[in-house]
Amino acid sequence: MGSKTEELLQLDQQLCFQLYSASRMMTKLYQPLLKPLDLTYPQYLVMLVLWEYDIGQKFTVTDLGGRLFLDSGTLTPLLKRLEAKRLIQRQRGSEDERQVWVRLTPAGEALKQQAKRIPEKLMCQTRADSDQLITLREGLKELVQLMADSE
């Protein structure tokens, strides 16, 4: 049997690996659910943020990036693809052209209706108890906040 230090270096003991594995599995579960909407998982995350607000409300790319923990280099290509699908509209700021505003289009708002059953379908696929998932989600939110505060 190895020392305590060696045990700490085992893959299954790594929090980062468990989070990474869970994230990959979650993304894999979402793929067939998002296919009818013609959205990738990262695009779906952008749409979730935009669906939380009224159709006319605008967000800066910086605001979206902060909410999704994505930098503009990652977010901009996602937004360009969503705009090409006519789900969002991007517009440069009139006072500051470096600022880009994003808002839902009517087609993007309409897609929300198709997406409403996705969380329920995902819950069925995970076969986990809803209380377990809620507890896990809340614990992960706390962990994310702790890590964000330490940056």
Side-chain angles (χ1 to χ4, degrees), residues 42-135:
Q43 291 170 346
Y44 175 66
L45 296 179
V46 169
M47 296 303 290
L48 285 172
V49 172
L50 296 174
W51 286 331
E52 289 179 11
Y53 301 94
D54 293 332
I55 187 169
Q57 192 164 351
K58 298 188 299 186
F59 295 87
T60 64
V61 171
T62 304
D63 293 337
L64 281 173
R67 185 79 191 277
L68 295 168
F69 297 98
L70 295 174
D71 61 46
S72 64
T74 302
L75 192 52
T76 298
L78 287 171
L79 295 174
K80 284 182 178 181
R81 286 192 285 278
L82 289 170
E83 187 174 39
K85 295 176 184 187
R86 294 183 162 69
L87 299 175
I88 65 162
Q89 182 180 38
R90 295 180 313 136
Q91 182 179 358
R92 291 231 170 253
S94 56
E95 294 179 21
D96 182 355
E97 286 198 9
R98 295 172 297 176
Q99 196 169 51
V100 178
W101 293 89
V102 179
R103 68 179 179 155
L104 278 175
T105 64
E109 179 68 21
L111 192 63
K112 181 179 182 179
Q113 294 306 312
Q114 293 178 32
K116 282 188 173 182
R117 297 219 42 231
I118 288 177
E120 181 184 324
K121 290 178 181 178
L122 185 74
M123 291 274 287
C124 291
Q125 285 186 349
T126 62
R127 292 178 282 172
D129 178 87
S130 62
D131 289 338
Q132 287 177 301
L133 293 176
I134 290 168
T135 300

Side-chain angles (χ1 to χ4, degrees), residues 1-8 10:
M1 185 167 204
S3 70
K4 189 74 167 165
T5 303
E6 287 176 2
E7 285 180 30
L8 290 175
Q10 292 176 357

Side-chain angles (χ1 to χ4, degrees), residues 10-71:
Q10 292 176 357
L11 183 62
D12 288 342
Q13 298 299 316
Q14 305 303 307
L15 175 62
C16 59
F17 179 68
Q18 299 307 324
L19 290 170
Y20 170 77
S21 300
S23 177
R24 291 195 37 94
M25 293 299 294
M26 187 65 69
T27 301
K28 188 176 181 180
L29 287 173
Y30 267 103
Q31 285 174 339
L33 301 175
L34 295 174
K35 190 174 179 110
L37 279 64
D38 191 30
L39 292 176
T40 64
Y41 181 69
Q43 291 170 346
Y44 175 66
L45 296 179
V46 169
M47 296 303 290
L48 285 172
V49 172
L50 296 174
W51 286 331
E52 289 179 11
Y53 301 94
D54 293 332
I55 187 169
Q57 192 164 351
K58 298 188 299 186
F59 295 87
T60 64
V61 171
T62 304
D63 293 337
L64 281 173
R67 185 79 191 277
L68 295 168
F69 297 98
L70 295 174
D71 61 46

